[in-house]
Amino acid sequence: MISCTFSTLDTLFAVVRLPPQSPPSWATDSECFTSITRTSDELSIVCASHLVPEGVAAEHGWSCIKLHGPFAFDQVGILASIANPLAATQIGIFAVSTFDTDYILLKELDLSAAISTLENAGHRYVADRV
């Protein structure tokens, strides 16, 4: 069984969809967690909700769980060990991976239930928000 240590980030996030262009400056002006992914079809941005200008298409109200890595690239099942228990309790996620770790976004209203669910699944919650 895989057991991860996780914490929550002390910011509310938004998921933004823009045309596939260069990221706008407002998306890159933060020191907190930000993810920018571009494909030929879209530019997806996850950033602090308060940074998104009025009128930009975004879904707000996301909390973020940080899995404490680093995790080796050949370590299998990290994300599944988090996603499966959450799915079993009907909590939807938006996952973002970096070189060292994974971040799990979920709706703010689900955060408390998600923490309990993950602890019951054998993961360790570090209450200090980062």
Side-chain angles (χ1 to χ4, degrees):
M1 179 179 114
I2 295 172
S3 178
C4 297
T5 300
F6 69 98
S7 59
T8 55
L9 303 186
D10 194 21
T11 302
L12 284 180
F13 293 89
V15 179
V16 179
R17 184 182 189 275
L18 295 171
Q21 58 196 25
S22 295
S25 61
W26 55 261
T28 60
D29 285 345
S30 176
E31 292 184 15
C32 74
F33 171 73
T34 302
S35 177
I36 300 172
T37 304
R38 182 180 18 214
T39 69
S40 60
D41 299 320
E42 67 176 297
L43 180 70
S44 289
I45 301 170
V46 176
C47 64
S49 196
H50 72 273
L51 296 176
V52 181
E54 215 38 58
V56 172
E59 183 163 335
H60 295 268
W62 294 89
S63 290
C64 186
I65 291 175
K66 176 184 178 181
L67 305 183
H68 292 219
F71 301 110
F73 284 113
D74 62 355
Q75 193 171 359
V76 177
I78 298 294
L79 192 54
S81 75
I82 300 294
N84 291 340
L86 294 176
T89 56
Q90 302 297 303
I91 297 174
I93 68 167
F94 184 94
V96 177
S97 295
T98 68
F99 192 91
D100 285 337
T101 193
D102 297 306
Y103 293 84
I104 309 300
L105 289 107
L106 44 97
K107 293 308 265 184
E108 178 185 19
L109 296 173
D110 292 330
L111 182 60
S112 188
I115 291 169
S116 295
T117 296
L118 294 175
E119 287 180 318
N120 290 337
H123 300 291
R124 187 170 72 90
Y125 176 53
V126 179
D128 295 352
R129 293 176 73 116
V130 291

